[in-house]
Amino acid sequence: MYQPIIPIGGLAGWRFLQQTYDTQFETFSKSTELKRDTDYFRENIGAVTTAEELVSDRRLLSVTLGAFGLQDDLDNRYFIRKMLEEGTTNDDALANRFTDTRYKEMSEAFGFGPGEFLKVGEEGFVDAIVSRFETASFEVAAGEQDESMRIALYAQHEVADLAQSDSSNDAKWFTLMGDPPMRALFEKALNLPESIGQIDVDQQLGIFKDRAQSVFGTDQLSDFSDPELVQDLITKYVVRNQIASFSASMSGQSIALTLLQS
């Protein structure tokens, strides 16, 4: 399968990836392996009527999970089946009890839950899932070379989508905090420690909003519908991540030098 070209890390690598994205993504989408997966999904998903049928077909499940960035759960079939079967209409549904909002999004997309309408046969359903899968697969491939590039690519579309949603500002922040890639990006861009996740969630909300106000001049996530603000966010993330990686590398070299000299 075609592997994205990222000749250098950090901000220069991100700018190169942005400039060549359309060409690289088109080439990646034509990869034989990827096309084999998407063709199989198109040809077979229409026959699926239950969550059990979906998780029983590993190839269909692979595309489904990959579309929502949940490919690491491919072997957790019982867990995914429960997630899909319970749907999202009940407050105590499994998808609603998870902080990672991608599970809820996946469950809503299929409509297997009680009182929900099955969406598999709806017009545009297959194209939407396939498009998400292709995009997410490219991001994963980029991340195999540089994880920060995967997160930046993901955030480029997800932050804007979240900004334009109808939810309240606090609800948007909670969604962001429950989405691992977006959370990682904001934590780094706002220079927050990962340990912030260990404190009360309402306190986390206050810290995220205060720091966003300080760094970006706003704590309103709807403002991130502005592409320039999103790029500013991603630039800060990439630069801070590069600095952190460089510092860690230098620290490791210093330790090695000390050991050699002792």
Side-chain angles (χ1 to χ4, degrees):
M1 182 181 291
Y2 174 84
Q3 291 299 309
I5 299 172
I6 308 174
I8 190 172
L11 190 57
W14 169 242
R15 287 175 174 165
F16 175 86
L17 188 55
Q18 283 185 296
Q19 292 167 359
T20 61
Y21 179 84
D22 290 343
T23 301
Q24 292 208 57
F25 180 73
E26 182 179 1
T27 303
F28 179 84
S29 299
K30 294 178 180 177
S31 300
T32 302
E33 183 179 339
L34 189 73
K35 196 170 187 308
R36 187 186 304 122
D37 289 338
T38 55
D39 285 348
Y40 182 86
F41 187 86
R42 289 183 183 279
E43 293 166 4
N44 294 278
I45 191 62
V48 170
T49 58
T50 67
E52 182 179 7
E53 291 174 351
L54 176 58
V55 302
S56 295
D57 189 318
R58 189 175 179 85
R59 294 181 68 183
L60 290 180
L61 183 60
S62 176
V63 173
T64 297
L65 293 173
F68 294 90
L70 300 170
Q71 59 278 349
D72 291 343
D73 281 316
L74 185 57
D75 292 324
N76 299 328
R77 291 191 298 173
Y78 178 76
F79 166 72
I80 295 300
R81 175 182 169 183
K82 291 287 291 181
M83 190 74 69
L84 293 170
E85 286 180 339
E86 292 188 13
T88 60
T89 54
N90 295 325
D91 291 340
D92 62 348
L94 187 58
N96 291 330
R97 289 185 276 128
F98 261 67
T99 55
D100 190 335
T101 56
R102 294 174 297 177
Y103 292 104
K104 180 179 180 180
E105 190 176 2
M106 177 183 66
S107 187
E108 287 178 333
F110 281 82
F112 288 122
E116 298 178 0
F117 293 99
L118 185 64
K119 299 176 182 177
V120 170
E122 290 185 352
E123 183 178 357
F125 170 83
V126 174
D127 287 341
I129 298 297
V130 167
S131 177
R132 289 188 63 138
F133 175 69
E134 291 174 340
T135 299
S137 296
F138 182 86
E139 292 166 3
V140 169
E144 290 174 353
Q145 299 182 56
D146 188 330
E147 179 65 8
S148 68
M149 297 297 118
R150 181 186 73 84
I151 291 177
L153 285 169
Y154 177 84
Q156 191 164 236
H157 54 81
E158 288 300 313
V159 171
D161 288 348
L162 178 61
Q164 295 169 14
S165 71
D166 295 329
S167 303
S168 68
N169 190 48
D170 283 359
K172 290 177 183 178
W173 275 108
F174 282 125
T175 297
L176 182 152
M177 290 158 56
D179 185 306
M182 278 203 290
R183 182 186 179 101
L185 178 128
F186 268 82
E187 281 183 350
K188 186 69 71 176
L190 298 176
N191 202 24
L192 294 171
E194 292 183 11
S195 58
I196 187 179
Q198 299 174 11
I199 66 175
D200 177 78
V201 68
D202 289 323
Q203 288 182 286
Q204 293 181 46
L205 173 64
I207 292 172
F208 268 101
K209 291 172 68 175
D210 288 346
R211 189 61 64 88
Q213 181 68 48
S214 174
V215 174
F216 296 109
T218 180
D219 66 0
Q220 298 296 308
L221 283 177
S222 59
D223 289 339
F224 285 86
S225 58
D226 179 356
E228 290 187 6
L229 190 55
V230 173
Q231 286 307 314
D232 185 24
L233 166 69
I234 294 175
T235 296
K236 283 181 169 58
Y237 163 74
V238 171
V239 170
R240 288 190 184 280
N241 187 75
Q242 186 177 21
I243 292 172
S245 298
F246 179 75
S247 297
S249 174
M250 291 302 294
S251 177
Q253 291 178 20
S254 297
I255 293 172
L257 182 60
T258 300
L259 291 173
L260 287 172
Q261 293 176 338
S262 62

